Structure formats: C-alpha cells, structure tokens
PDB file of all heavy atoms in Angstrom:
ATOM      1  N   LYS A 104     111.924 101.363  64.768  1.00 86.00           N
ATOM      2  CA  LYS A 104     110.836 102.143  64.181  1.00 86.00           C
ATOM      3  C   LYS A 104     110.522 101.733  62.744  1.00 86.00           C
ATOM      4  O   LYS A 104     109.374 101.815  62.300  1.00 86.00           O
ATOM      5  CB  LYS A 104     111.169 103.632  64.235  1.00 86.00           C
ATOM      6  CG  LYS A 104     111.211 104.209  65.649  1.00 86.00           C
ATOM      7  CD  LYS A 104     111.474 105.696  65.632  1.00 86.00           C
ATOM      8  CE  LYS A 104     111.471 106.250  67.054  1.00 86.00           C
ATOM      9  NZ  LYS A 104     111.756 107.718  67.062  1.00 86.00           N
ATOM     10  N   ASN A 105     111.535 101.314  62.010  1.00 88.00           N
ATOM     11  CA  ASN A 105     111.334 100.938  60.614  1.00 88.00           C
ATOM     12  C   ASN A 105     111.131  99.434  60.437  1.00 88.00           C
ATOM     13  O   ASN A 105     111.065  98.928  59.309  1.00 88.00           O
ATOM     14  CB  ASN A 105     112.510 101.408  59.764  1.00 88.00           C
ATOM     15  CG  ASN A 105     113.833 100.831  60.248  1.00 88.00           C
ATOM     16  OD1 ASN A 105     113.896 100.232  61.313  1.00 88.00           O
ATOM     17  ND2 ASN A 105     114.874 101.001  59.450  1.00 88.00           N
ATOM     18  N   GLU A 106     111.056  98.685  61.538  1.00 90.00           N
ATOM     19  CA  GLU A 106     110.877  97.241  61.467  1.00 90.00           C
ATOM     20  C   GLU A 106     109.429  96.886  61.168  1.00 90.00           C
ATOM     21  O   GLU A 106     108.503  97.472  61.726  1.00 90.00           O
ATOM     22  CB  GLU A 106     111.307  96.600  62.786  1.00 90.00           C
ATOM     23  CG  GLU A 106     111.405  95.080  62.728  1.00 90.00           C
ATOM     24  CD  GLU A 106     111.990  94.491  63.998  1.00 90.00           C
ATOM     25  OE1 GLU A 106     112.503  95.281  64.833  1.00 90.00           O
ATOM     26  OE2 GLU A 106     111.918  93.261  64.168  1.00 90.00           O
ATOM     27  N   VAL A 107     109.221  95.922  60.243  1.00 85.00           N
ATOM     28  CA  VAL A 107     107.849  95.540  59.835  1.00 85.00           C
ATOM     29  C   VAL A 107     107.679  94.042  60.011  1.00 85.00           C
ATOM     30  O   VAL A 107     108.659  93.294  60.118  1.00 85.00           O
ATOM     31  CB  VAL A 107     107.589  95.936  58.373  1.00 85.00           C
ATOM     32  CG1 VAL A 107     107.642  97.447  58.189  1.00 85.00           C
ATOM     33  CG2 VAL A 107     108.601  95.259  57.425  1.00 85.00           C
ATOM     34  N   ASP A 108     106.418  93.607  60.036  1.00 84.00           N
ATOM     35  CA  ASP A 108     106.112  92.176  60.142  1.00 84.00           C
ATOM     36  C   ASP A 108     106.015  91.561  58.772  1.00 84.00           C
ATOM     37  O   ASP A 108     106.373  92.172  57.768  1.00 84.00           O
ATOM     38  CB  ASP A 108     104.824  91.968  60.948  1.00 84.00           C
ATOM     39  CG  ASP A 108     103.625  92.669  60.307  1.00 84.00           C
ATOM     40  OD1 ASP A 108     103.727  93.063  59.113  1.00 84.00           O
ATOM     41  OD2 ASP A 108     102.595  92.814  60.990  1.00 84.00           O
ATOM     42  N   ASP A 109     105.513  90.297  58.711  1.00 83.00           N
ATOM     43  CA  ASP A 109     105.423  89.582  57.447  1.00 83.00           C
ATOM     44  C   ASP A 109     104.484  90.265  56.446  1.00 83.00           C
ATOM     45  O   ASP A 109     104.620  90.089  55.216  1.00 83.00           O
ATOM     46  CB  ASP A 109     104.954  88.145  57.691  1.00 83.00           C
ATOM     47  CG  ASP A 109     105.937  87.349  58.525  1.00 83.00           C
ATOM     48  OD1 ASP A 109     107.120  87.741  58.535  1.00 83.00           O
ATOM     49  OD2 ASP A 109     105.510  86.369  59.180  1.00 83.00           O
ATOM     50  N   LYS A 110     103.536  91.043  56.966  1.00 84.00           N
ATOM     51  CA  LYS A 110     102.581  91.731  56.080  1.00 84.00           C
ATOM     52  C   LYS A 110     103.057  93.123  55.704  1.00 84.00           C
ATOM     53  O   LYS A 110     102.317  93.851  55.021  1.00 84.00           O
ATOM     54  CB  LYS A 110     101.206  91.814  56.759  1.00 84.00           C
ATOM     55  CG  LYS A 110     100.585  90.456  57.051  1.00 84.00           C
ATOM     56  CD  LYS A 110      99.220  90.614  57.699  1.00 84.00           C
ATOM     57  CE  LYS A 110      98.594  89.262  57.985  1.00 84.00           C
ATOM     58  NZ  LYS A 110      97.253  89.387  58.647  1.00 84.00           N
ATOM     59  N   GLY A 111     104.229  93.498  56.155  1.00 85.00           N
ATOM     60  CA  GLY A 111     104.766  94.814  55.833  1.00 85.00           C
ATOM     61  C   GLY A 111     104.243  95.926  56.725  1.00 85.00           C
ATOM     62  O   GLY A 111     104.492  97.092  56.435  1.00 85.00           O
ATOM     63  N   GLU A 112     103.551  95.579  57.796  1.00 86.00           N
ATOM     64  CA  GLU A 112     103.020  96.594  58.693  1.00 86.00           C
ATOM     65  C   GLU A 112     104.019  96.878  59.806  1.00 86.00           C
ATOM     66  O   GLU A 112     104.780  95.991  60.222  1.00 86.00           O
ATOM     67  CB  GLU A 112     101.690  96.126  59.300  1.00 86.00           C
ATOM     68  CG  GLU A 112     100.619  95.872  58.254  1.00 86.00           C
ATOM     69  CD  GLU A 112      99.322  95.345  58.855  1.00 86.00           C
ATOM     70  OE1 GLU A 112      99.328  95.118  60.087  1.00 86.00           O
ATOM     71  OE2 GLU A 112      98.337  95.183  58.134  1.00 86.00           O
ATOM     72  N   PRO A 113     104.048  98.097  60.319  1.00 87.00           N
ATOM     73  CA  PRO A 113     105.004  98.451  61.384  1.00 87.00           C
ATOM     74  C   PRO A 113     104.840  97.528  62.594  1.00 87.00           C
ATOM     75  O   PRO A 113     103.720  97.247  63.030  1.00 87.00           O
ATOM     76  CB  PRO A 113     104.631  99.907  61.728  1.00 87.00           C
ATOM     77  CG  PRO A 113     103.981 100.422  60.487  1.00 87.00           C
ATOM     78  CD  PRO A 113     103.234  99.256  59.889  1.00 87.00           C
ATOM     79  N   LEU A 114     105.961  97.072  63.137  1.00 87.00           N
ATOM     80  CA  LEU A 114     105.934  96.124  64.240  1.00 87.00           C
ATOM     81  C   LEU A 114     106.057  96.814  65.593  1.00 87.00           C
ATOM     82  O   LEU A 114     105.668  96.253  66.612  1.00 87.00           O
ATOM     83  CB  LEU A 114     107.073  95.113  64.068  1.00 87.00           C
ATOM     84  CG  LEU A 114     107.094  93.909  65.008  1.00 87.00           C
ATOM     85  CD1 LEU A 114     105.819  93.076  64.863  1.00 87.00           C
ATOM     86  CD2 LEU A 114     108.326  93.045  64.738  1.00 87.00           C
ATOM     87  N   ARG A 115     106.530  98.035  65.594  1.00 88.00           N
ATOM     88  CA  ARG A 115     106.737  98.760  66.862  1.00 88.00           C
ATOM     89  C   ARG A 115     105.404  98.916  67.590  1.00 88.00           C
ATOM     90  O   ARG A 115     104.426  99.416  67.043  1.00 88.00           O
ATOM     91  CB  ARG A 115     107.335 100.147  66.574  1.00 88.00           C
ATOM     92  CG  ARG A 115     107.750 100.936  67.817  1.00 88.00           C
ATOM     93  CD  ARG A 115     108.954 100.275  68.481  1.00 88.00           C
ATOM     94  NE  ARG A 115     109.437 101.055  69.610  1.00 88.00           N
ATOM     95  CZ  ARG A 115     110.425 101.937  69.537  1.00 88.00           C
ATOM     96  NH1 ARG A 115     111.020 102.171  68.379  1.00 88.00           N
ATOM     97  NH2 ARG A 115     110.832 102.583  70.613  1.00 88.00           N
ATOM     98  N   GLY A 116     105.335  98.489  68.817  1.00 86.00           N
ATOM     99  CA  GLY A 116     104.115  98.546  69.604  1.00 86.00           C
ATOM    100  C   GLY A 116     103.223  97.325  69.436  1.00 86.00           C
ATOM    101  O   GLY A 116     102.204  97.201  70.131  1.00 86.00           O
ATOM    102  N   ARG A 117     103.591  96.407  68.518  1.00 86.00           N
ATOM    103  CA  ARG A 117     102.799  95.165  68.301  1.00 86.00           C
ATOM    104  C   ARG A 117     103.688  93.942  68.361  1.00 86.00           C
ATOM    105  O   ARG A 117     103.400  92.932  67.736  1.00 86.00           O
ATOM    106  CB  ARG A 117     102.099  95.228  66.949  1.00 86.00           C
ATOM    107  CG  ARG A 117     101.111  96.401  66.791  1.00 86.00           C
ATOM    108  CD  ARG A 117     100.288  96.314  65.519  1.00 86.00           C
ATOM    109  NE  ARG A 117     101.128  96.243  64.328  1.00 86.00           N
ATOM    110  CZ  ARG A 117     101.316  95.153  63.615  1.00 86.00           C
ATOM    111  NH1 ARG A 117     100.721  94.022  63.960  1.00 86.00           N
ATOM    112  NH2 ARG A 117     102.103  95.158  62.548  1.00 86.00           N
ATOM    113  N   GLU A 118     104.760  94.030  69.122  1.00 89.00           N
ATOM    114  CA  GLU A 118     105.682  92.901  69.249  1.00 89.00           C
ATOM    115  C   GLU A 118     104.941  91.675  69.812  1.00 89.00           C
ATOM    116  O   GLU A 118     104.021  91.829  70.638  1.00 89.00           O
ATOM    117  CB  GLU A 118     106.843  93.273  70.164  1.00 89.00           C
ATOM    118  CG  GLU A 118     107.751  94.389  69.625  1.00 89.00           C
ATOM    119  CD  GLU A 118     107.266  95.756  70.004  1.00 89.00           C
ATOM    120  OE1 GLU A 118     106.132  95.864  70.527  1.00 89.00           O
ATOM    121  OE2 GLU A 118     107.987  96.726  69.774  1.00 89.00           O
ATOM    122  N   PRO A 119     105.322  90.478  69.377  1.00 89.00           N
ATOM    123  CA  PRO A 119     104.596  89.257  69.809  1.00 89.00           C
ATOM    124  C   PRO A 119     104.552  89.079  71.322  1.00 89.00           C
ATOM    125  O   PRO A 119     103.589  88.520  71.836  1.00 89.00           O
ATOM    126  CB  PRO A 119     105.420  88.129  69.148  1.00 89.00           C
ATOM    127  CG  PRO A 119     106.044  88.771  67.946  1.00 89.00           C
ATOM    128  CD  PRO A 119     106.354  90.159  68.357  1.00 89.00           C
ATOM    129  N   TRP A 120     105.579  89.540  72.056  1.00 89.00           N
ATOM    130  CA  TRP A 120     105.598  89.323  73.493  1.00 89.00           C
ATOM    131  C   TRP A 120     104.457  90.011  74.221  1.00 89.00           C
ATOM    132  O   TRP A 120     104.095  89.622  75.335  1.00 89.00           O
ATOM    133  CB  TRP A 120     106.929  89.796  74.097  1.00 89.00           C
ATOM    134  CG  TRP A 120     107.223  91.275  73.965  1.00 89.00           C
ATOM    135  CD1 TRP A 120     107.941  91.863  72.980  1.00 89.00           C
ATOM    136  CD2 TRP A 120     106.799  92.324  74.839  1.00 89.00           C
ATOM    137  NE1 TRP A 120     107.992  93.228  73.179  1.00 89.00           N
ATOM    138  CE2 TRP A 120     107.308  93.548  74.315  1.00 89.00           C
ATOM    139  CE3 TRP A 120     106.037  92.371  75.998  1.00 89.00           C
ATOM    140  CZ2 TRP A 120     107.078  94.774  74.914  1.00 89.00           C
ATOM    141  CZ3 TRP A 120     105.800  93.595  76.614  1.00 89.00           C
ATOM    142  CH2 TRP A 120     106.324  94.777  76.056  1.00 89.00           C
ATOM    143  N   ARG A 121     103.875  91.032  73.597  1.00 89.00           N
ATOM    144  CA  ARG A 121     102.804  91.771  74.270  1.00 89.00           C
ATOM    145  C   ARG A 121     101.566  90.926  74.512  1.00 89.00           C
ATOM    146  O   ARG A 121     100.734  91.244  75.362  1.00 89.00           O
ATOM    147  CB  ARG A 121     102.435  93.020  73.449  1.00 89.00           C
ATOM    148  CG  ARG A 121     103.591  94.020  73.330  1.00 89.00           C
ATOM    149  CD  ARG A 121     103.190  95.237  72.493  1.00 89.00           C
ATOM    150  NE  ARG A 121     104.324  96.159  72.365  1.00 89.00           N
ATOM    151  CZ  ARG A 121     104.612  97.118  73.247  1.00 89.00           C
ATOM    152  NH1 ARG A 121     103.866  97.275  74.316  1.00 89.00           N
ATOM    153  NH2 ARG A 121     105.656  97.907  73.054  1.00 89.00           N
ATOM    154  N   SER A 122     101.411  89.826  73.788  1.00 87.00           N
ATOM    155  CA  SER A 122     100.254  88.932  73.962  1.00 87.00           C
ATOM    156  C   SER A 122     100.564  87.748  74.882  1.00 87.00           C
ATOM    157  O   SER A 122      99.679  86.964  75.164  1.00 87.00           O
ATOM    158  CB  SER A 122      99.777  88.428  72.609  1.00 87.00           C
ATOM    159  OG  SER A 122      99.328  89.489  71.779  1.00 87.00           O
ATOM    160  N   SER A 123     101.817  87.633  75.313  1.00 87.00           N
ATOM    161  CA  SER A 123     102.182  86.538  76.210  1.00 87.00           C
ATOM    162  C   SER A 123     101.617  86.785  77.604  1.00 87.00           C
ATOM    163  O   SER A 123     101.481  87.914  78.040  1.00 87.00           O
ATOM    164  CB  SER A 123     103.712  86.404  76.290  1.00 87.00           C
ATOM    165  OG  SER A 123     104.246  86.054  75.035  1.00 87.00           O
ATOM    166  N   ILE A 124     101.277  85.702  78.289  1.00 84.00           N
ATOM    167  CA  ILE A 124     100.656  85.795  79.603  1.00 84.00           C
ATOM    168  C   ILE A 124     101.605  85.289  80.677  1.00 84.00           C
ATOM    169  O   ILE A 124     102.216  84.228  80.534  1.00 84.00           O
ATOM    170  CB  ILE A 124      99.342  84.967  79.647  1.00 84.00           C
ATOM    171  CG1 ILE A 124      98.319  85.566  78.670  1.00 84.00           C
ATOM    172  CG2 ILE A 124      98.760  84.944  81.042  1.00 84.00           C
ATOM    173  CD1 ILE A 124      97.030  84.782  78.590  1.00 84.00           C
ATOM    174  N   SER A 125     101.739  86.043  81.740  1.00 83.00           N
ATOM    175  CA  SER A 125     102.557  85.660  82.892  1.00 83.00           C
ATOM    176  C   SER A 125     101.765  85.948  84.159  1.00 83.00           C
ATOM    177  O   SER A 125     101.250  87.058  84.330  1.00 83.00           O
ATOM    178  CB  SER A 125     103.882  86.413  82.891  1.00 83.00           C
ATOM    179  OG  SER A 125     104.623  86.087  84.033  1.00 83.00           O
ATOM    180  N   LEU A 126     101.655  84.950  85.030  1.00 77.00           N
ATOM    181  CA  LEU A 126     100.876  85.088  86.256  1.00 77.00           C
ATOM    182  C   LEU A 126      99.450  85.568  85.984  1.00 77.00           C
ATOM    183  O   LEU A 126      98.876  86.341  86.736  1.00 77.00           O
ATOM    184  CB  LEU A 126     101.566  86.056  87.224  1.00 77.00           C
ATOM    185  CG  LEU A 126     102.989  85.689  87.648  1.00 77.00           C
ATOM    186  CD1 LEU A 126     103.481  86.638  88.728  1.00 77.00           C
ATOM    187  CD2 LEU A 126     103.089  84.257  88.106  1.00 77.00           C
ATOM    188  N   GLY A 127      98.902  85.101  84.873  1.00 78.00           N
ATOM    189  CA  GLY A 127      97.503  85.413  84.582  1.00 78.00           C
ATOM    190  C   GLY A 127      97.265  86.716  83.876  1.00 78.00           C
ATOM    191  O   GLY A 127      96.123  87.053  83.572  1.00 78.00           O
ATOM    192  N   SER A 128      98.317  87.509  83.606  1.00 84.00           N
ATOM    193  CA  SER A 128      98.148  88.799  82.949  1.00 84.00           C
ATOM    194  C   SER A 128      99.045  88.872  81.724  1.00 84.00           C
ATOM    195  O   SER A 128     100.138  88.336  81.704  1.00 84.00           O
ATOM    196  CB  SER A 128      98.502  89.948  83.906  1.00 84.00           C
ATOM    197  OG  SER A 128      97.675  89.926  85.053  1.00 84.00           O
ATOM    198  N   LYS A 129      98.566  89.589  80.715  1.00 87.00           N
ATOM    199  CA  LYS A 129      99.406  89.824  79.541  1.00 87.00           C
ATOM    200  C   LYS A 129     100.541  90.764  79.915  1.00 87.00           C
ATOM    201  O   LYS A 129     100.384  91.655  80.725  1.00 87.00           O
ATOM    202  CB  LYS A 129      98.581  90.399  78.389  1.00 87.00           C
ATOM    203  CG  LYS A 129      97.661  89.390  77.721  1.00 87.00           C
ATOM    204  CD  LYS A 129      97.100  89.905  76.418  1.00 87.00           C
ATOM    205  CE  LYS A 129      96.293  88.835  75.696  1.00 87.00           C
ATOM    206  NZ  LYS A 129      95.797  89.299  74.374  1.00 87.00           N
ATOM    207  N   LEU A 130     101.692  90.558  79.300  1.00 86.00           N
ATOM    208  CA  LEU A 130     102.869  91.342  79.613  1.00 86.00           C
ATOM    209  C   LEU A 130     102.684  92.818  79.243  1.00 86.00           C
ATOM    210  O   LEU A 130     103.270  93.691  79.866  1.00 86.00           O
ATOM    211  CB  LEU A 130     104.108  90.772  78.921  1.00 86.00           C
ATOM    212  CG  LEU A 130     104.530  89.386  79.383  1.00 86.00           C
ATOM    213  CD1 LEU A 130     105.747  88.922  78.619  1.00 86.00           C
ATOM    214  CD2 LEU A 130     104.821  89.374  80.874  1.00 86.00           C
ATOM    215  N   CYS A 131     101.893  93.078  78.233  1.00 88.00           N
ATOM    216  CA  CYS A 131     101.580  94.462  77.848  1.00 88.00           C
ATOM    217  C   CYS A 131     100.323  94.902  78.595  1.00 88.00           C
ATOM    218  O   CYS A 131      99.272  94.284  78.440  1.00 88.00           O
ATOM    219  CB  CYS A 131     101.375  94.566  76.345  1.00 88.00           C
ATOM    220  SG  CYS A 131     100.884  96.208  75.771  1.00 88.00           S
ATOM    221  N   SER A 132     100.440  95.959  79.384  1.00 87.00           N
ATOM    222  CA  SER A 132      99.306  96.384  80.197  1.00 87.00           C
ATOM    223  C   SER A 132      98.120  96.815  79.331  1.00 87.00           C
ATOM    224  O   SER A 132      96.976  96.570  79.689  1.00 87.00           O
ATOM    225  CB  SER A 132      99.726  97.514  81.130  1.00 87.00           C
ATOM    226  OG  SER A 132     100.263  98.603  80.414  1.00 87.00           O
ATOM    227  N   ASN A 133      98.380  97.474  78.194  1.00 87.00           N
ATOM    228  CA  ASN A 133      97.280  97.886  77.323  1.00 87.00           C
ATOM    229  C   ASN A 133      96.511  96.689  76.780  1.00 87.00           C
ATOM    230  O   ASN A 133      95.269  96.666  76.787  1.00 87.00           O
ATOM    231  CB  ASN A 133      97.824  98.723  76.155  1.00 87.00           C
ATOM    232  CG  ASN A 133      98.331 100.078  76.591  1.00 87.00           C
ATOM    233  OD1 ASN A 133      97.932 100.600  77.630  1.00 87.00           O
ATOM    234  ND2 ASN A 133      99.230 100.650  75.810  1.00 87.00           N
ATOM    235  N   GLU A 134      97.252  95.661  76.332  1.00 89.00           N
ATOM    236  CA  GLU A 134      96.602  94.468  75.841  1.00 89.00           C
ATOM    237  C   GLU A 134      95.878  93.722  76.954  1.00 89.00           C
ATOM    238  O   GLU A 134      94.793  93.153  76.741  1.00 89.00           O
ATOM    239  CB  GLU A 134      97.654  93.535  75.194  1.00 89.00           C
ATOM    240  CG  GLU A 134      98.280  94.082  73.931  1.00 89.00           C
ATOM    241  CD  GLU A 134      97.279  94.269  72.817  1.00 89.00           C
ATOM    242  OE1 GLU A 134      96.367  93.429  72.707  1.00 89.00           O
ATOM    243  OE2 GLU A 134      97.395  95.240  72.060  1.00 89.00           O
ATOM    244  N   ASP A 135      96.443  93.750  78.143  1.00 90.00           N
ATOM    245  CA  ASP A 135      95.816  93.064  79.264  1.00 90.00           C
ATOM    246  C   ASP A 135      94.489  93.729  79.660  1.00 90.00           C
ATOM    247  O   ASP A 135      93.524  93.050  79.960  1.00 90.00           O
ATOM    248  CB  ASP A 135      96.774  93.048  80.454  1.00 90.00           C
ATOM    249  CG  ASP A 135      96.271  92.159  81.589  1.00 90.00           C
ATOM    250  OD1 ASP A 135      96.051  90.958  81.327  1.00 90.00           O
ATOM    251  OD2 ASP A 135      96.081  92.665  82.709  1.00 90.00           O
ATOM    252  N   ILE A 136      94.461  95.055  79.641  1.00 90.00           N
ATOM    253  CA  ILE A 136      93.234  95.772  79.968  1.00 90.00           C
ATOM    254  C   ILE A 136      92.139  95.451  78.944  1.00 90.00           C
ATOM    255  O   ILE A 136      90.983  95.212  79.309  1.00 90.00           O
ATOM    256  CB  ILE A 136      93.500  97.278  80.036  1.00 90.00           C
ATOM    257  CG1 ILE A 136      94.366  97.615  81.259  1.00 90.00           C
ATOM    258  CG2 ILE A 136      92.194  98.056  80.115  1.00 90.00           C
ATOM    259  CD1 ILE A 136      94.818  99.050  81.316  1.00 90.00           C
ATOM    260  N   LYS A 137      92.490  95.422  77.657  1.00 91.00           N
ATOM    261  CA  LYS A 137      91.528  95.091  76.625  1.00 91.00           C
ATOM    262  C   LYS A 137      90.957  93.684  76.844  1.00 91.00           C
ATOM    263  O   LYS A 137      89.744  93.464  76.748  1.00 91.00           O
ATOM    264  CB  LYS A 137      92.171  95.180  75.238  1.00 91.00           C
ATOM    265  CG  LYS A 137      92.587  96.586  74.817  1.00 91.00           C
ATOM    266  CD  LYS A 137      93.265  96.547  73.467  1.00 91.00           C
ATOM    267  CE  LYS A 137      93.742  97.938  73.064  1.00 91.00           C
ATOM    268  NZ  LYS A 137      94.471  97.888  71.752  1.00 91.00           N
ATOM    269  N   ARG A 138      91.859  92.766  77.143  1.00 91.00           N
ATOM    270  CA  ARG A 138      91.425  91.377  77.341  1.00 91.00           C
ATOM    271  C   ARG A 138      90.506  91.247  78.546  1.00 91.00           C
ATOM    272  O   ARG A 138      89.497  90.540  78.503  1.00 91.00           O
ATOM    273  CB  ARG A 138      92.665  90.499  77.524  1.00 91.00           C
ATOM    274  CG  ARG A 138      92.413  89.100  77.988  1.00 91.00           C
ATOM    275  CD  ARG A 138      93.712  88.316  77.975  1.00 91.00           C
ATOM    276  NE  ARG A 138      93.602  87.152  78.839  1.00 91.00           N
ATOM    277  CZ  ARG A 138      93.891  87.157  80.133  1.00 91.00           C
ATOM    278  NH1 ARG A 138      94.294  88.276  80.713  1.00 91.00           N
ATOM    279  NH2 ARG A 138      93.771  86.059  80.855  1.00 91.00           N
ATOM    280  N   ARG A 139      90.841  91.923  79.628  1.00 91.00           N
ATOM    281  CA  ARG A 139      90.025  91.851  80.835  1.00 91.00           C
ATOM    282  C   ARG A 139      88.637  92.453  80.590  1.00 91.00           C
ATOM    283  O   ARG A 139      87.625  91.955  81.096  1.00 91.00           O
ATOM    284  CB  ARG A 139      90.715  92.569  81.988  1.00 91.00           C
ATOM    285  CG  ARG A 139      91.946  91.856  82.497  1.00 91.00           C
ATOM    286  CD  ARG A 139      92.705  92.736  83.516  1.00 91.00           C
ATOM    287  NE  ARG A 139      93.954  92.098  83.900  1.00 91.00           N
ATOM    288  CZ  ARG A 139      94.110  91.368  84.992  1.00 91.00           C
ATOM    289  NH1 ARG A 139      93.080  91.126  85.767  1.00 91.00           N
ATOM    290  NH2 ARG A 139      95.275  90.837  85.290  1.00 91.00           N
ATOM    291  N   CYS A 140      88.601  93.543  79.812  1.00 92.00           N
ATOM    292  CA  CYS A 140      87.303  94.149  79.514  1.00 92.00           C
ATOM    293  C   CYS A 140      86.414  93.203  78.707  1.00 92.00           C
ATOM    294  O   CYS A 140      85.201  93.114  78.948  1.00 92.00           O
ATOM    295  CB  CYS A 140      87.510  95.460  78.735  1.00 92.00           C
ATOM    296  SG  CYS A 140      88.189  96.813  79.730  1.00 92.00           S
ATOM    297  N   ILE A 141      87.019  92.470  77.761  1.00 93.00           N
ATOM    298  CA  ILE A 141      86.261  91.527  76.957  1.00 93.00           C
ATOM    299  C   ILE A 141      85.739  90.402  77.832  1.00 93.00           C
ATOM    300  O   ILE A 141      84.557  90.021  77.745  1.00 93.00           O
ATOM    301  CB  ILE A 141      87.151  90.953  75.828  1.00 93.00           C
ATOM    302  CG1 ILE A 141      87.491  92.062  74.821  1.00 93.00           C
ATOM    303  CG2 ILE A 141      86.467  89.775  75.131  1.00 93.00           C
ATOM    304  CD1 ILE A 141      88.476  91.618  73.754  1.00 93.00           C
ATOM    305  N   LEU A 142      86.595  89.864  78.716  1.00 92.00           N
ATOM    306  CA  LEU A 142      86.166  88.770  79.604  1.00 92.00           C
ATOM    307  C   LEU A 142      85.064  89.230  80.562  1.00 92.00           C
ATOM    308  O   LEU A 142      84.101  88.513  80.826  1.00 92.00           O
ATOM    309  CB  LEU A 142      87.357  88.268  80.410  1.00 92.00           C
ATOM    310  CG  LEU A 142      88.443  87.522  79.628  1.00 92.00           C
ATOM    311  CD1 LEU A 142      89.600  87.167  80.530  1.00 92.00           C
ATOM    312  CD2 LEU A 142      87.879  86.266  78.954  1.00 92.00           C
ATOM    313  N   ALA A 143      85.204  90.466  81.065  1.00 92.00           N
ATOM    314  CA  ALA A 143      84.175  90.987  81.991  1.00 92.00           C
ATOM    315  C   ALA A 143      82.865  91.211  81.264  1.00 92.00           C
ATOM    316  O   ALA A 143      81.787  90.969  81.816  1.00 92.00           O
ATOM    317  CB  ALA A 143      84.658  92.302  82.606  1.00 92.00           C
ATOM    318  N   ASN A 144      82.913  91.648  80.013  1.00 94.00           N
ATOM    319  CA  ASN A 144      81.685  91.841  79.230  1.00 94.00           C
ATOM    320  C   ASN A 144      80.987  90.509  78.975  1.00 94.00           C
ATOM    321  O   ASN A 144      79.746  90.406  79.050  1.00 94.00           O
ATOM    322  CB  ASN A 144      82.004  92.535  77.905  1.00 94.00           C
ATOM    323  CG  ASN A 144      80.758  92.816  77.076  1.00 94.00           C
ATOM    324  OD1 ASN A 144      79.864  93.525  77.506  1.00 94.00           O
ATOM    325  ND2 ASN A 144      80.711  92.261  75.874  1.00 94.00           N
TER     326      ASN A 144
END
C-alpha cells in the first residue's frame, strides 16, 4: 500500500504486469476492457 513508483505515485493497482498481454488479452481485466473499447472505437 505504501509502495510508490519513480514519480512518487502509489503503485498499488498500477503494477507493470497489468499492461502485459497474454493470449491476446491484458492480464488486468480492467486494463483489457479499456483497451478493447479503444480498439472498437
């Protein structure tokens, strides 16, 4: 909860793995839904 990134912003919920793609989908479902909406638009 107290872990921050290089900019000093909270890292919880924004871990780098959430943007990684496996079998065509991002590992984080929230990020994957956002990405799919952008592509569909």
Side-chain angles (χ1 to χ4, degrees):
K104 292 183 179 179
N105 59 350
E106 191 173 348
V107 296
D108 59 15
D109 296 337
K110 298 181 180 179
E112 299 178 355
L114 189 60
R115 187 68 175 266
R117 300 188 303 106
E118 295 87 351
W120 63 265
R121 296 179 182 273
S122 297
S123 296
I124 296 177
S125 177
L126 302 187
S128 300
K129 286 193 175 183
L130 294 180
C131 176
S132 57
N133 291 336
E134 293 297 323
D135 189 57
I136 291 173
K137 293 178 183 177
R138 169 174 160 271
R139 290 172 186 265
C140 289
I141 292 174
L142 292 175
N144 183 59

